[in-house]
Amino acid sequence: MSTCKTLLITLFVLCSTALLAQERTITGRVIDAAGKLPLSGVSISIKNSPNVTAVTNDNGSFTLRAPAGSLTLQASSIGYAPTEVVVDANTKDLVISLTKNDAELGEVVIVGYSNKKRGELTSAVTVVSAEKLKDVTTNNIGNMLQGKVAGLQVVAASGVPGAAPEIRLRGISSVNASQSPLFVVDGIIGGNYDPNDVESVTVLKDAGATAMYGSQANAGVIIVTTKKAKMGKTRFEAKATTGFRQADFGSMEMMNSNEFYEYQKELYRDYIPGETDNSHKIDLLKFYSERPLSLRDVDYNWQKTIFSNALMQNYYVSFAGRTEKASYYAGVSYYNEKGTFMNTNFQRINVRANSTYNFAKWINFTNNINVSASTGKSYDYMDIYYAYLNLPWDNPWDSAGRPRYVDGTSPFKWWSRDKINPVHTINNSDHPYKGFDVNYDAALNIDITPWLSFSSSNRFAAGYNKSSNFFSPATAGTYHNTGFLDELSTLNYGLVSNNLLKFNLKYGDHGISGLAGMAYEASKFEVLGGSGKGLPLGQRVLNVVSNSQLVKGYVNEAYIQSFLSQVNYSYLNRYFLTASFRRDGSSNFPSSNRYANFPSVSAAWLASNEDFMAGMKESLSYLKFRVSYGVTGTQDIGASRYLGLYSLSAQYNGNVGAVPLQLPSPDLTWESKHQINAGVDIGLFDRVNLTVDAYRNVTKDLLLQVSQPISVGFEQRWQNVGEIVNQGLEIGINSTNIRSRNFEWNTDFNINFNSNKLRALPSDIIKTGSWAISQIYRNGGNLYEFYMPKWAGVNEQTGAPQWERTIKDADGNVTGKELTSDYAQATYQEVGSALPKFQGGITNTFRYKNVSLSVNAYYLYGNKVFSNNLRFVMNDGTDPYFNQIVLPSGYSIWTKPGDKATNPSPQNAAGASETSSRYLMDGSFLQIRNITLSYSLPDSYVKKLGMEGITISLSADNVHTFTDFVGQDPQTTITPASFATPGVSDFKYPNNRQFLATLILRF
């Protein structure tokens, strides 16, 4: 037996040696048709042996283990024509050249519920690859998109750790409904993901692309496609990013001790308005008696204490593999962002895994799971407020280095107006939150016939969040000796199911494809919380609060049922037509209006594929004309707007009392947005790609609260009235300016012009937001139009503030204007909108051998921002115990008759800090969004380490903002809320600069 075993082992070794001897290594490089540019990401395979593959690296190089003898290699890449190369037995190093396939444009783009080749698109769509997203490090994909998509406005309205930006596509098209685009992850509405797992982002802009999402696509659609395995061996990637963040205070440079001391002298000038013997000199004797010189020796910088540089970390590991039967991908990421403001932070861990198993060539099943958990600490607005306003003459620390307790009875002098030490408050309060989210996707795809298939994609989602606001009884102010605790928990869960039949037929030069099916969404949102005072010191649980107890909770349940269909037709690969129809039913509307229809039609002519264009290919390589029309809508107004409601918060004889709360609106129906788009795509000299789109979007039947006659007994009722018209022009340019073997320079540029008008309103609507800052909605006017007295500067003779006052005749017609220093006499006027006239971005990327440099900028022009914090920090002595900003260049304070000053005399400044266009600033800016310098180690060195690639990069985000805006930051909220008005800048958590280093390993 042992002899037989020995013979078998010997035979096995000999056979293995023979097989190994029949294998060889083929190395090569893939370049473009010009022979200058290396192509990365090109798939190399052996014909008839699809499991033997390689992928080119950043230098276009590849290594492939292949059988001995002659064989055929296949090279393929998105946007390039597939190429076959025959290699003989002695071939080792070879060069493969790929030509661009502009006519076919084979890149697959996800549109609606189907995929299309780029050349077949009939609508306005922008695709942003992961390569163009990875420059900015953030926990939100919206920040990565800023400045990279024409028509997409991304506003970083807050620097709070983990905060999401505000995103608007092609302007604002509703007053009360959400204007955030619909996010679709891996083909299913909603979902969670980590930016590190993203393969590409597709932005659907016009109704030709978005109408397939019907009532949820009123604000556009952003499709996120996550990473999946590619053919070849198992691949690993590891990424580590770390660095620090720095608060950006804009032009809010607060005065130090000496500066504030000198400024205070202005409050002591010998000037009494109306008197004739004013000297306008400073009464130094009185000043020194009330402001001793010793104050100059105390100089405390509140901002540097409460704000500091903060650590930022992001780690990511993934692996992916694919066999003939199955593919799999798994990624784990950890994001940790310390806040620049004291005691704030955010951290998140995300795990994503997907797998696809092919039971046969005609059936496969995909699992996709995403689990994320986050935790962090928020802040209290008043602490930021005091970080700016407290005086540099006050020291927050006692002799032992502990935060001072300060109130109105403190035995020591506290100069700041409000007797609050925010450092003490922060150390005796806490604002934590935590959340958990899980999404599970299951998709079944069946090829029934060669031309007919069925797909069922389903998502089960659940999330839990809890937040808390705690103030210890030891803190000063409102909760001193009582403390306060408020906790809120939310549980949300739901289901999304799409079931579709898809077909794809070819008849000679004709092609017809499409889909039909049903979609269903159901969600439930449960809220439970409580609050109270009277906490014992050292305790922070709700069951020990002893007074002012309040319990709160509610449940919100909604569903959407949809029928959808689409047909695509093509002829000669030149003429394309797409028509879609969706019918949605929503529980947010009364039964009589529960369903609405959302149709669309779009067409394209690929003129560059015409025979008469053949001679122009070298100069005009690609030319396509597109046009589309369609209707989308919105039902995002809450589940009970059409109902007559009663409040049960009252009591009567110890029992629950019902009080009428809301009038019924039985005729309430959908907002609908009617969209027209015309576009052209042009490719020039194989170097420049130009896209131009013009659009006109009209939102009808706005959901508004309309004033009611006094006899009704209610001030307002929900009704469908009014329209919003957005029309504009988008231009996107991608160019290769220089391209050679060792050097390349590419530019991406986009710009969007948009105008916004209101019409068909029953009357003028004046909305008053925070701090009585009002905006007016009227027919022919702009959305978010500020409505306030118009500032007319400072009277040169008296130093008094001035505003415009209009003069009207008996019929109410304006006959003239005059200046007044009486604020009560000033006329309210329209003074500008918070919406920009145009915005866009530009990115330049330079590559020299293994070194690359990218610079990305974002710009916005023509919007107005009310800098509300200037009312406090440029208050003309109204509040002498608030710190003030160092006056920007060009600003001055009136001191004597004849002065041409910007700021009135502190002795004659009545009404100067009231709401007016004095604090309404031009919000235009140009921001250097990101600079990234990266270096990829040479292949020879990387291969010695047994790896595929090593990249090291240094980056800086939010590098600098060029603006004339005076205040904290021109990037300001454009979302109406209870304590926020679009275009109003207040004491917000400042945005941050980031300086980061990143290491990426691929093996």
Side-chain angles (χ1 to χ4, degrees):
M1 179 68 82
S2 59
T3 303
C4 181
K5 184 175 180 181
T6 302
L7 289 173
L8 287 173
I9 293 174
T10 304
L11 181 62
F12 175 77
V13 171
L14 290 173
C15 290
S16 299
T17 304
L19 287 172
L20 288 172
Q22 294 174 15
E23 285 193 353
R24 58 177 171 144
T25 299
I26 299 176
T27 59
R29 194 163 178 265
V30 181
I31 57 176
D32 67 343
K36 299 178 179 179
L37 179 66
L39 300 180
S40 62
V42 179
S43 177
I44 309 295
S45 62
I46 300 174
K47 191 173 184 178
N48 299 322
S49 299
N51 291 330
V52 182
T53 63
V55 178
T56 61
N57 60 20
D58 292 342
N59 296 319
S61 303
F62 70 90
T63 302
L64 184 72
R65 294 287 296 172
S70 298
L71 49 84
T72 300
L73 292 184
Q74 296 175 318
S76 61
S77 181
I78 292 173
Y80 291 87
T83 299
E84 294 187 355
V85 178
V86 177
V87 296
D88 58 31
N90 299 319
T91 302
K92 289 186 177 180
D93 297 315
L94 76 157
V95 176
I96 301 175
S97 176
L98 294 186
T99 58
K100 279 203 170 184
N101 193 359
D102 290 331
E104 292 289 335
L105 277 178
E107 179 182 353
V108 175
V109 178
I110 299 175
V111 184
Y113 292 85
S114 61
N115 301 339
K116 289 185 178 181
K117 292 181 180 179
R118 184 182 286 274
E120 298 172 345
L121 292 175
T122 58
S123 51
V125 174
T126 298
V127 180
V128 184
S129 66
E131 186 72 20
K132 294 185 178 181
L133 289 171
K134 69 181 183 180
D135 54 353
V136 176
T137 300
T138 176
N139 191 54
N140 189 282
I141 203 73
N143 288 319
M144 295 178 168
L145 289 171
Q146 189 177 53
K148 296 173 183 174
V149 178
L152 195 71
Q153 181 183 358
V154 180
V155 178
S158 174
V160 176
E166 298 173 20
I167 305 175
R168 300 294 180 265
L169 182 63
R170 292 186 168 182
I172 310 293
S173 55
S174 182
V175 173
N176 288 303
S178 171
Q179 286 300 284
S180 296
L182 175 70
F183 274 79
V184 177
V185 180
D186 289 333
I188 306 176
I189 290 174
N192 209 345
Y193 59 94
D194 186 88
N196 289 301
D197 292 318
V198 173
E199 181 71 25
S200 67
V201 175
T202 304
V203 181
L204 311 183
K205 301 179 182 180
D206 66 349
T210 63
M212 284 294 288
Y213 291 98
S215 63
Q216 295 166 284
N218 192 56
V221 179
I222 296 178
I223 297 177
V224 176
T225 303
T226 61
K227 295 177 181 177
K228 294 177 176 60
K230 297 180 175 64
M231 286 298 291
K233 66 178 184 178
T234 301
R235 302 182 187 280
F236 295 86
E237 182 177 353
K239 175 182 173 183
T241 299
T242 188
F244 68 93
R245 317 184 84 211
Q246 184 182 76
D248 181 5
F249 301 114
S251 58
M252 292 278 284
E253 181 186 352
M254 306 308 296
M255 291 184 177
N256 61 30
S257 181
N258 285 336
E259 289 167 336
F260 189 73
Y261 192 83
E262 292 302 313
Y263 163 77
Q264 286 267 302
K265 291 179 179 179
E266 296 295 332
L267 311 183
Y268 287 81
R269 287 194 181 276
D270 173 28
Y271 175 39
I272 301 175
E275 298 292 330
T276 58
D277 58 347
N278 295 305
S279 69
H280 299 286
K281 294 180 179 179
I282 296 172
D283 187 343
L284 292 176
L285 290 177
K286 184 178 181 181
F287 174 74
Y288 289 132
S289 67
E290 297 181 7
R291 304 286 189 270
L293 281 169
S294 59
L295 288 176
R296 302 174 71 123
D297 299 327
V298 180
D299 187 10
Y300 201 82
N301 191 317
W302 285 92
Q303 288 172 294
K304 285 188 177 180
T305 294
I306 294 181
F307 294 94
S308 60
N309 292 345
L311 180 67
M312 186 271 176
Q313 301 173 82
N314 188 23
Y315 304 103
Y316 163 72
V317 177
S318 72
F319 65 91
R322 190 170 184 176
T323 65
E324 187 175 350
K325 281 286 188 181
S327 64
Y328 53 88
Y329 167 87
V332 180
S333 60
Y334 173 69
Y335 183 89
N336 188 343
E337 179 183 335
K338 297 292 184 181
T340 54
F341 185 79
M342 286 180 68
N343 202 29
T344 60
N345 60 67
F346 172 81
Q347 55 183 335
R348 180 175 187 257
I349 187 168
N350 194 89
V351 179
R352 187 174 193 87
N354 63 59
S355 65
T356 298
Y357 187 79
N358 300 291
F359 295 98
K361 290 183 178 180
W362 55 276
I363 182 170
N364 66 68
F365 184 78
T366 297
N367 290 281
N368 194 338
I369 189 167
N370 194 97
V371 180
S372 64
S374 60
T375 182
K377 290 187 177 182
S378 188
Y379 70 103
D380 183 70
Y381 166 83
M382 294 306 296
D383 293 330
I384 285 186
Y385 175 84
Y386 292 124
Y388 284 95
L389 296 181
N390 274 11
L391 300 186
W393 299 339
D394 293 322
N395 188 339
W397 311 103
D398 63 17
S399 57
R402 296 168 301 200
R404 277 182 170 183
Y405 173 82
V406 179
D407 64 15
T409 63
S410 297
F412 50 85
K413 179 68 174 177
W414 188 263
W415 289 90
S416 301
R417 191 196 74 171
D418 296 338
K419 310 306 179 186
I420 296 290
N421 178 3
V423 178
H424 184 275
T425 304
I426 293 169
N427 277 270
N428 286 278
S429 62
D430 200 15
H431 313 281
Y433 60 89
K434 56 188 174 184
F436 180 83
D437 184 277
V438 60
N439 291 176
Y440 171 68
D441 298 352
L444 177 67
N445 295 284
I446 302 174
D447 293 332
I448 302 171
T449 70
W451 58 271
L452 182 65
S453 64
F454 170 77
S455 70
S456 177
S457 55
N458 308 274
R459 172 174 294 143
F460 305 90
Y464 174 78
N465 293 277
K466 181 181 179 181
S467 62
S468 176
N469 280 310
F470 166 73
F471 292 89
S472 165
T475 192
T478 305
Y479 304 118
H480 182 57
N481 286 332
T482 66
F484 176 74
L485 178 63
D486 179 23
E487 292 188 344
L488 188 70
S489 297
T490 61
L491 173 66
N492 60 85
Y493 48 94
L495 163 71
V496 181
S497 181
N498 304 316
N499 297 280
L500 305 171
L501 278 171
K502 300 180 180 181
F503 63 92
N504 191 344
L505 297 167
K506 294 284 186 180
Y507 297 101
D509 294 329
H510 303 270
I512 185 169
S513 63
L515 58 87
M518 297 179 60
Y520 179 79
E521 296 178 51
S523 62
K524 193 168 185 178
F525 192 73
E526 300 178 7
V527 177
L528 179 64
S531 63
K533 299 179 183 179
L535 288 163
L537 192 65
Q539 297 293 318
R540 51 182 299 178
V541 290
L542 281 174
N543 65 339
V544 300
V545 297
S546 59
N547 62 72
S548 303
Q549 296 101 329
L550 176 65
V551 176
K552 48 194 171 185
Y554 65 89
V555 175
N556 191 8
E557 199 168 357
Y559 71 84
I560 300 175
Q561 183 176 347
S562 306
F563 305 91
L564 55 150
S565 61
Q566 185 181 68
V567 176
N568 308 296
Y569 171 75
S570 65
Y571 176 62
L572 290 173
N573 199 31
R574 303 171 191 171
Y575 314 104
F576 305 92
L577 180 67
T578 297
S580 69
F581 179 82
R582 177 167 178 144
R583 181 172 174 82
D584 278 354
S586 170
S587 59
N588 287 351
F589 292 98
S591 56
S592 58
N593 292 325
R594 187 144 292 172
Y595 285 87
N597 301 324
F598 303 99
S600 77
V601 61
S602 56
W605 174 34
L606 190 53
S608 54
N609 273 7
E610 296 286 359
D611 293 339
F612 62 82
M613 295 286 291
M616 304 175 61
K617 281 292 185 180
E618 289 189 6
S619 57
L620 185 59
S621 55
Y622 188 75
L623 178 63
K624 181 199 280 187
F625 299 95
R626 297 175 281 101
V627 64
S628 69
Y629 171 78
V631 181
T632 56
T634 184
Q635 46 82 48
D636 185 21
I637 61 164
S640 57
R641 300 302 189 200
Y642 69 93
L643 295 172
L645 299 179
Y646 288 83
S647 170
L648 301 179
S649 59
Q651 289 189 353
Y652 181 75
N653 287 338
N655 296 314
V656 174
V659 179
L661 178 66
Q662 176 179 284
L663 281 174
S665 301
D667 298 324
L668 207 64
T669 188
W670 307 66
E671 288 186 358
S672 59
K673 185 161 75 171
H674 300 251
Q675 307 179 49
I676 299 174
N677 188 95
V680 59
D681 303 316
I682 303 173
L684 300 171
F685 308 106
D686 196 27
R687 284 179 176 266
V688 179
N689 294 308
L690 169 67
T691 296
V692 180
D693 279 280
Y695 60 87
R696 178 180 171 85
N697 302 333
V698 181
T699 306
K700 300 180 180 181
D701 299 321
L702 294 175
L703 294 160
L704 299 176
Q705 287 184 295
V706 179
S707 298
Q708 302 296 302
I710 297 177
S711 58
V712 173
F714 282 81
E715 292 184 356
Q716 295 176 322
R717 176 194 295 211
W718 285 99
Q719 291 180 334
N720 293 100
V721 293
E723 298 179 354
I724 296 179
V725 180
N726 282 281
Q727 55 188 14
L729 180 70
E730 294 174 354
I731 301 173
I733 301 175
N734 311 112
S735 65
T736 301
N737 308 315
I738 298 175
R739 181 171 56 195
S740 64
R741 179 181 178 86
N742 292 325
F743 181 75
E744 184 178 358
W745 170 26
N746 295 307
T747 299
D748 293 337
F749 170 82
N750 68 80
I751 189 170
N752 165 233
F753 301 87
N754 186 78
S755 72
N756 177 286
K757 295 295 178 184
L758 293 159
R759 68 186 191 188
L761 296 173
S763 61
D764 292 350
I765 301 172
I766 299 175
K767 297 174 69 73
T768 300
S770 57
W771 301 99
I773 302 166
S774 57
Q775 295 175 339
I776 184 172
Y777 299 170
R778 65 165 180 82
N779 289 322
N782 300 310
L783 198 61
Y784 305 154
E785 180 78 28
F786 286 101
Y787 189 62
M788 59 185 61
K790 185 178 289 187
W791 175 255
V794 176
N795 188 300
E796 294 182 14
Q797 298 305 312
T798 66
Q802 298 180 132
W803 301 272
E804 279 189 4
R805 176 177 177 269
T806 58
I807 303 170
K808 299 181 179 179
D809 59 21
D811 297 325
N813 299 316
V814 176
T815 59
K817 295 182 179 181
E818 63 182 12
L819 301 183
T820 178
S821 291
D822 182 358
Y823 181 80
Q825 298 294 319
T827 304
Y828 274 68
Q829 302 181 56
E830 296 178 22
V831 288
S833 171
L835 299 179
K837 292 182 172 64
F838 66 81
Q839 56 94 31
I842 182 170
T843 301
N844 282 288
T845 304
F846 307 89
R847 181 193 62 82
Y848 177 71
K849 293 185 177 180
N850 290 5
V851 179
S852 66
L853 172 69
S854 70
V855 181
N856 169 243
Y858 176 64
Y859 60 89
L860 186 145
Y861 176 83
N863 63 312
K864 294 293 184 180
V865 177
F866 190 89
S867 192
N868 191 57
N869 35 30
L870 292 185
R871 301 169 64 170
F872 301 89
V873 299
M874 193 190 288
N875 65 38
D876 313 309
T878 303
D879 283 300
Y881 299 104
F882 279 162
N883 198 6
Q884 302 293 287
I885 64 167
V886 177
L887 289 181
S889 175
Y891 281 70
S892 61
I893 299 173
W894 188 93
T895 59
K896 62 184 183 303
D899 279 357
K900 294 181 179 181
T902 57
N903 292 18
S905 164
Q907 289 76 31
N908 196 12
S913 61
E914 297 292 335
T915 301
S916 76
S917 64
R918 176 189 182 187
Y919 301 126
L920 191 68
M921 303 289 169
D922 181 3
S924 305
F925 67 88
L926 169 65
Q927 182 181 68
I928 306 300
R929 182 73 179 89
N930 171 269
I931 299 176
T932 298
L933 177 67
S934 61
Y935 174 69
S936 296
L937 272 66
D939 291 343
S940 57
Y941 180 78
V942 172
K943 288 177 181 177
K944 288 179 181 178
L945 299 175
M947 305 180 70
E948 288 192 355
I950 300 176
T951 302
I952 303 169
S953 66
L954 300 174
S955 65
D957 296 333
N958 300 330
V959 180
H960 185 74
T961 302
F962 300 91
T963 182
D964 292 331
F965 179 78
V966 179
Q968 203 172 11
D969 188 348
Q971 291 197 74
T972 305
T973 180
I974 50 174
T975 303
S978 300
F979 300 99
T981 300
V984 175
S985 174
D986 206 359
F987 291 102
K988 73 171 186 178
Y989 196 118
N991 284 333
N992 305 288
R993 297 185 183 93
Q994 300 194 133
F995 303 93
L996 307 172
T998 299
L999 173 65
I1000 300 175
L1001 306 175
R1002 294 181 294 275
F1003 47 95

